[in-house]
Amino acid sequence: MGKKRVILITDGDLYALRAVEHVARKIGGRCISQSWGNPSKISGHQLVRMIMQTPHDPVLVMFDDCGFRGEGPGELAMRIVCSHRDIEVLGAIAVASKTHHSEWTKVHFSIDRYGSFTEYGIDKSGVPDFETGRINGDTVYILDELNLPIVIGIGDIGKMAGHDAVEKGAPITSMAVETILERSGYNAGIERKEKDTNQ
């Protein structure tokens, strides 16, 4: 068995849960539904057990600090998940929020609420702001130090003035997840397996 492949998502409210569950089904992966919460209520060690037990791949996991200053419960759980030797973190989706403590992280790029890629950060509504390559959010404090292969900034999952509504297929969240999978070579690995099977 290889490592479990995981995508981190820095949001955990009910809107995010519905959107992330939808995207996970769409890509044939699994959302750890118990990871939702505002703030996160499941410990990193509990999340690791859940990730390792699911037969699906990749695994989408939510983390939320609800504005906790510094390293909150969501980020502590994130650190434990990222440090596990049997987990490969493919990337993270950094979700914008109107944080009271000005937490921010660098992002490789952002996706606005219309599905356009931008070098600028993004606000909660999914509109590009004036900062290049950084985003403000509640649960992004440690993303920089985790040395992740890709971090994508987006607006508030499942919302963005209706542009990411689950009734519309959560298109912005879907695009962010699919972009991480493409950049990681995950899709190419699936295609190779299917080719080998058909030969």
Side-chain angles (χ1 to χ4, degrees):
M1 292 289 292
K3 292 186 176 184
K4 298 295 290 188
R5 289 171 287 195
V6 168
I7 294 175
L8 315 176
I9 299 170
T10 69
D11 195 7
D13 66 15
L14 191 55
Y15 285 92
L17 172 64
R18 293 177 60 215
V20 174
E21 286 180 332
H22 174 82
V23 174
R25 287 192 295 269
K26 179 179 175 182
I27 64 171
R30 173 62 57 87
C31 165
I32 301 297
S33 297
Q34 291 184 62
S35 67
W36 90 282
N38 188 241
S40 297
K41 299 176 179 65
I42 303 294
S43 74
H45 297 293
Q46 289 173 305
L47 286 174
V48 167
R49 284 195 294 272
M50 293 176 187
I51 291 166
M52 300 310 297
Q53 286 170 359
T54 178
H56 299 272
D57 188 80
V59 185
L60 311 183
V61 188
M62 295 171 286
F63 302 87
D64 199 319
D65 279 344
C66 194
F68 189 96
R69 188 168 189 171
E71 188 168 313
E75 289 172 322
L76 179 59
M78 192 188 303
R79 188 187 296 279
I80 291 169
V81 168
C82 290
S83 64
H84 196 278
R85 64 183 181 182
D86 294 323
I87 290 175
E88 177 187 0
V89 178
L90 301 180
I93 298 173
V95 180
S97 70
K98 292 181 180 177
T99 176
H100 300 296
H101 301 294
S102 300
E103 278 190 18
W104 63 273
T105 186
K106 288 180 278 188
V107 295
H108 291 87
F109 53 85
S110 300
I111 302 175
D112 71 17
R113 67 188 190 183
Y114 303 109
S116 298
F117 292 87
T118 175
E119 64 180 316
Y120 294 98
I122 216 85
D123 70 12
K124 186 173 181 175
S125 298
V127 176
D129 60 26
F130 302 108
E131 298 262 17
T132 302
R134 59 182 275 175
I135 191 171
N136 294 314
D138 278 344
T139 318
V140 299
Y141 181 75
I142 65 167
L143 287 179
D144 282 347
E145 68 179 76
L146 293 176
N147 195 29
L148 301 174
I150 184 169
V151 179
I152 299 176
I154 67 172
D156 207 357
I157 290 183
K159 301 176 187 175
M160 300 183 224
H163 291 272
D164 196 48
V166 71
E167 292 80 10
K168 296 181 179 178
I172 310 306
T173 303
S174 294
M175 183 178 292
V177 169
E178 289 164 0
T179 301
I180 289 174
L181 295 179
E182 289 169 6
R183 294 291 182 99
S184 72
Y186 178 88
N187 292 344
I190 292 175
E191 289 169 6
R192 280 197 298 272
K193 281 183 183 177
E194 289 176 348
K195 184 177 179 181
D196 293 341
T197 302
N198 294 331
Q199 285 180 346

